Amino acid sequence: MSSNSFAYNEQSGGGEATELGQEATSTISPSGAFGLFSSDLKKNEDLKQMLESTKDSAKLDAMKRIVGMIAKGKNASELFPAVVKNVASKNIEIKKLVYVYLVRYAEEQQDLALLSISTFQRALKDPNQLIRASALRVLSSIRVPIIVPIMMLAIKEASADLSPYVRKNAAHAIQKLYSLDPEQKEMLIEVIEKLLKDKSTLVAGSVVMAFEEVCPDRIDLIHKNYRKLCNLLVDVEEWGQVVIIHMLTRYARTQFVSPWKEDDGLEDNEKNFYESDDEQKEKTDQRKKPYTMDPDHRLLIRNTKPLLQSRNAAVVMAVAQLYWHISPKSEVGIISKSLVRLLRSNREVQYIVLQNIATMSIQRKGMFEPYLKSFYVRSTDPTMIKTLKLEILTNLANEANISTLLREFQTYVKSQDKQFAAATIQTIGRCATNISEVTDTCLNGLVCLLSNRDEIVVAESVVVIKKLLQMQPAQHGEIIKHMAKLLDSITVPVARASILWLIGENCERVPKIAPDVLRKMAKSFTSEDDLVKLQILNLGAKLYLTNSRQTKLLTQYILNLGKYDQNYDIRDRTRFIRQLIVPNEKSGALSKYAKKIFLAQKPAPLLESPFKDRDHFQLGTLSHTLNTKATGYLELSNWPEVAPDPSVRNVEVIELAKEWTPAGKAKKENPAKKFYSESEEEEDSSDSSSDSESESGSASGEQDEGDSSDDSSEESSSEHGSDSESASEVGDKRTAKRNSKSKGKSDSEDGEKENEKSKTSDSSSADSSSEEESSSDSESESESESESESRKVTKEKEKKKTKQDRNPLTKDVSLLDLDDFNPVSTPVALPTPALSPSLIADLEGLNLSTSSSVISVNTPVFVPVKTHVLLHRMSGRGLAAHYFFPRQPCIFGDKMVSVQITLNNTTDRKIENIHIGGKKLPMGMQMHVFNPIESLEPEGSITVSMGIDFCDSTQTASFQLCTKDDCFNVNIQPPVGELLLPVAMSEKDFKKEQGMLTGMNETSTVIIAAPQNFTPSVILQKVVNVANVGVVPSGQDNIHRFAAKTVHSGSLMLVTVELKEGSTAQLIINTERTVIGSVLLRELKPVLSQG
Amino acid sequence: MIHSLFLINSSGDIFLEKHWKSVVSRSVCDYFFEAQERATEAENVPPVIPTPHHYLLSVYRHKIFFVAVIQTEVPPLFVIEFLHRVVDTFQDYFGVCSEPVIKDNVVVVYEVLEEMLDNGFPLATESNILKELIKPPTILRTVVNTITGMEKGETHRELPSWVKALNNLLPAFCLIPISGSTITAEIQGVIDACVKLTGMPDLTLSFMNPRLLDDVSFHPCVRFKRWESERILSFIPPDGNFRLLSYHVSAQNLVAIPVYVKHNISFRDSSSLGRFEITVGPKQTMGKTIEGVIVTSQMPKGVLNMSLTPSQGTHTFDPVTKMLSWDVGKINPQKLPSLKGTMSLQAGASKPDENPTINLQFKIQQLAISGLKVNRLDMYGEKYKPFKGIKYMTKAGKFQVRT
């Protein structure tokens, strides 16, 4: 307590200005009046009172002051109880600040923090995505171990949220939970796996971040998403790009073979053709070469290239390191221009970029040579930038440019920044050693510097000259003499030591000077630096051996001085030298070789760049910058000798580069949303000029057509829908195959049987599809793309519908989005259960949540092409109309059944103004009509869609179809099977639901039919033909289950076909809507019994 | 990723701290202060400082150190770029980014920081998004409100909607040695846009001479493919001010340098007086006036004082930092501005090795020195007619004259 009050005291002193400012605005301002005596306890009391006040403004003020305290690092934990009460405040401003407070102090006050949890749990179900997101953020930021299970649950639910923004937050929450409780790793990996499949550009970056943090070694999770990530990359927000690029760099290094081996010879050739970027050519060309680059490898390199143009330095650097580490050597060149651009940025950015360039320039001089002048030093650069630039200039120096560089260096040597001048001298030394042509010039230049007035410069020069002379054992007596003179003036120890060493080494070349130097040194020995003393001893020893006549006494004097030196190193050295050189009876054989030992030829030191050893760190990383391994650094592996199986990535069906969240919708929800979906927005509204990179030409063309015809997007989309079934028959089969394949991958715990089944279907994928002509795995891109396109359009529609479905929140929020994760849920007729593995996994995950319902709308298993006549051409005076049920969730309302009407003009004149006139609908029934059609050309046909809410009854909707001249009465009577929407659920849930719908709600009948009609595929075919139901995976061979819900009321409709002995079967229908149930039973029975 | 952020002023006080994960004690900053002491100058503090358990990454702007604490490997540029984005955001919110302003708006600052990062990973960094989430403080808010109010009121009307592209061209780096020839010069430019259009306008901007542009970087809204194929900037703009494009003009189209500096600076050995004379004059300005000229020079340590008379403008000399600064203003080609006088040198000290470097700042309105010209700006997707305008400007970058 006392410490607390002390803290507040401090605060009142330090932060008075702001405090006062805030108080002035507060409504019940205690103000500065009691400034002098304001004890801080009182102040806190005062804050508490304000927090408990009924007025929001007072609370807000209090919270603002508290946040001010937190910001200054003052302790405000005492107020926790008072603050936490306001967590449920209606006022959004207060709420935000309370959240800020909670996140800061919850860890310290765990028990009290628990009080707030229920509020967040409620907020997690809020219809507003921003509120859901922020609730998840705060909940996951409260580092209280007790709530781990709650967090886990929230993350699971949020990861299936409809809003990508919420899913993004879920990805962030994964990391928080992981750091709080690493035990949860396995569960979290499941969520990561699911989110990795997400196609939203918002989510991608965050989930990859989570992946890197939680399980960077699970590279297998990436395979299936690799291509998608590559294609999404351009549209991901910039921070996400950095993370993804780094991850993909590591991935590429483990999955592809090195592109470096053959390169050198083929450099030019390769450059040309890659620049042309012609895929066709690439293929043919690659065949000829021994090394062929994996197309996925190429994809990554190609898709990252535009990001070199990013405004974000981190992105540019990430791409640069990707090119450096994984692209063929001939292509690395393109990064230099972009890196040089970064040099015009802030000093900190320059610092990092220059470091990386320094490392690169050691290995590849050519890359940066054209930009030599960009590395010229400006007098305003900070020293660290200057030295880095020097480093690079040195690396880039060669015979051609050295003269220019030396001139530039001359200017630097004169710089007022002496540290920099010294660095320049070292640089000159390095240039001199590297380029032998200029060694002499440099040496002369350095000697001139010896007469410089600045000591640091001179000292540095001496050191460098020493190194240079050592390399050139030629006659440099003059220089040595000159340097010997310098001993009188120079005081810097390193320089003095260097001179002494040099003289000792060359003592035979300067026989007159050397003893004299020793004499001088002997005089000043006691006052020298240790470093110098050691060299004096060395010099003495060397002279003793070569010229003992003159120096014997001097040396012994020095040895005596050394013997009593304070430094033990020097005493040691003295003892050692004495034993070695002074002959006495005890001295062993070694002293004979003393001369050889002391005056051996010494190898010249290598003047190397300090960046030489940095290249084993991945560029652009913190470890590279520090040149030590940072915590959490992930080693970049070497290329594998043999590429791992590239087909693992094939599982990914087709990349839909676009996210289909319609921008308009987002806007409606919340204006803020639109910014988060910037990229999507962009694409949506700009189809006319759509140039999303990943889109093939044909696909975007189709898309254009779809949206540019003004507001008939739904019409054309439905067109695509109908097209897709007839045209993409083959495609469907393929999808089916993939579907089953991917199922094989997933370890669905749902019963081994299913696994077995999927396995067999996997292995026999080719034979199970007799229609499938070529089962070659290489998918022709264009085909799949167009297929995906049609599918996408249909999905887009569903999506719209599902969006509106949102209101019954508990039901849908967590689940609707599943079709997002289910890339293969197209209208497909297939003999195996249509649930995708991801879906199963999802559903299992959801079982954990106690309250969550298991109903989720699935895409239809099968869409019948059967059309019904609405208006015959005879009775319609040439206008014919047919309708059919596309089995799509209706975009006009979530309780409506969508109906598509195809209008044909069979006359020889235009029919104008086709619209719907008077409606005669039974009670409660509603209808959303299509927009009037201005005119229909002769022989023309047009498909429009409308929505009818049949109120879950088979009553007829009657209305008038009118043209400019006539009106025709028409009826639509829905088959009962069309009043349903398929539902995906697990067998367990099915049984549970079924258990609740017994008695009155159950109808059943016995069917007799030939055994060949009771094969699984036939039953499935028949049932889905009649009714729009979803298939429930079944653990038993003899029981087939189907689930759906009614469109209007959303009641479950469970259909079970149980095969019995002989050729009988029991058909059971469980539903609350007994009327529809029995009608459906009646319709199903004949269909199933007939051959 | 980013654990915590500390804001430190030049006198070494931590005046704001924010933690995104568990709290990191502010004592971690001691390592930073150590480094700061060693560096002597703020500019020289290394941006990356390792400590036993953390790494400190910092940027220095507006006399404030923004120190981020991280614990594990992360691309350093990622953090640095983000910190710069934080500063930009503050500037955008408050007009200036300074210690008093941050202290005054500590709540908004805190909320903004909270939105910008989640668990250390950037969440919302675009300033227009942030402004939707957290309103800027009152003074600015009124202004913003009136603007957005107008826009929201008149959706799909042809009212206030305008586009302005600002074209800054900065010859970034000129070194002119004694001989008078240019060592190196380059042009680096930006196009800043201020867009306030309702609805979803799709804009295209085309240049008369796009070939000039050697290296470009874009705002994320620009469609890269379109640029690649047609050299046209096609984009759907965000609201408000943003940097559409930064570019670099290739060295081949060498720059016509618009000013010249004549100088005569001489120190004499064993004399306590030196002569000093600078004249600035225009060169190839296409008839435009050179404005805002400021000449600065770091004099050698030996210079004790200077007594100078300018023909126009004002000058100051700081005897402590030895910084000479001369605010010239406009250059009148008829009467060239000059600064003449004497320097008093330390008696007995020998003549400095190096003559001082002269730094020059200036502006030229209505001229793009690179010759880059915007051809047209078209809008699609909306029916109203936007108001369009363009302003060219040339600014000196790091214009240095070596004497």
Side-chain angles (χ1 to χ4, degrees), chain A residues 71-72 96 137 176 238-239 309 311 341 347-348 378 383 408 453 621-623 631 686, chain B residues 17 26 43-44 60 73 84-85 114 118 125-126 133 215-218 223 350-351 398 402:
Chain A
K72 267 177 252 141
K96 258 195 226 163
R137 265 177 73 186
K176 299 184 212 169
E238 43 198 1
W239 309 108
Q309 245 70 47
R311 62 171 175 171
R341 161 160 37 87
R347 129 196 120 94
E348 296 87 3
R378 302 164 209 182
T383 310
E408 184 71 14
R453 224 168 292 115
T621 59
L622 185 63
S623 308
T631 339
S686 63
Chain B
E17 61 179 74
R26 53 165 68 192
E43 288 256 291
N44 280 335
Y60 179 66
E73 169 66 50
H84 280 299
R85 205 61 72 79
E114 182 77 33
D118 181 20
T125 49
E126 289 299 323
L133 298 170
D215 181 36
V216 284
S217 73
F218 302 116
R223 299 187 181 96
S350 47
K351 144 184 193 246
K398 302 202 166 146
R402 288 181 185 166

Side-chain angles (χ1 to χ4, degrees), chain A residues 926-938:
Chain A
Q926 282 181 342
M927 198 164 134
H928 187 281
V929 302
F930 57 86
N931 290 328
I933 298 158
E934 273 177 23
S935 69
L936 191 59
E937 294 294 322

Side-chain angles (χ1 to χ4, degrees), chain A residues 338-388:
Chain A
S338 304
L339 287 178
V340 170
R341 161 160 37 87
L342 297 185
L343 295 183
R344 296 168 206 132
S345 185
N346 297 297
R347 129 196 120 94
E348 296 87 3
V349 175
Q350 285 185 41
Y351 176 72
I352 307 287
V353 173
L354 284 171
Q355 278 190 327
N356 284 293
I357 292 180
T359 306
M360 291 188 206
S361 61
I362 292 172
Q363 286 182 34
R364 311 275 314 267
K365 275 189 186 184
M367 265 175 76
F368 292 98
E369 234 180 76
Y371 305 98
L372 189 71
K373 286 192 173 174
S374 304
F375 302 108
Y376 278 11
V377 174
R378 302 164 209 182
S379 65
T380 42
D381 285 333
T383 310
M384 58 183 178
I385 301 286
K386 285 180 185 164
T387 36
L388 279 170

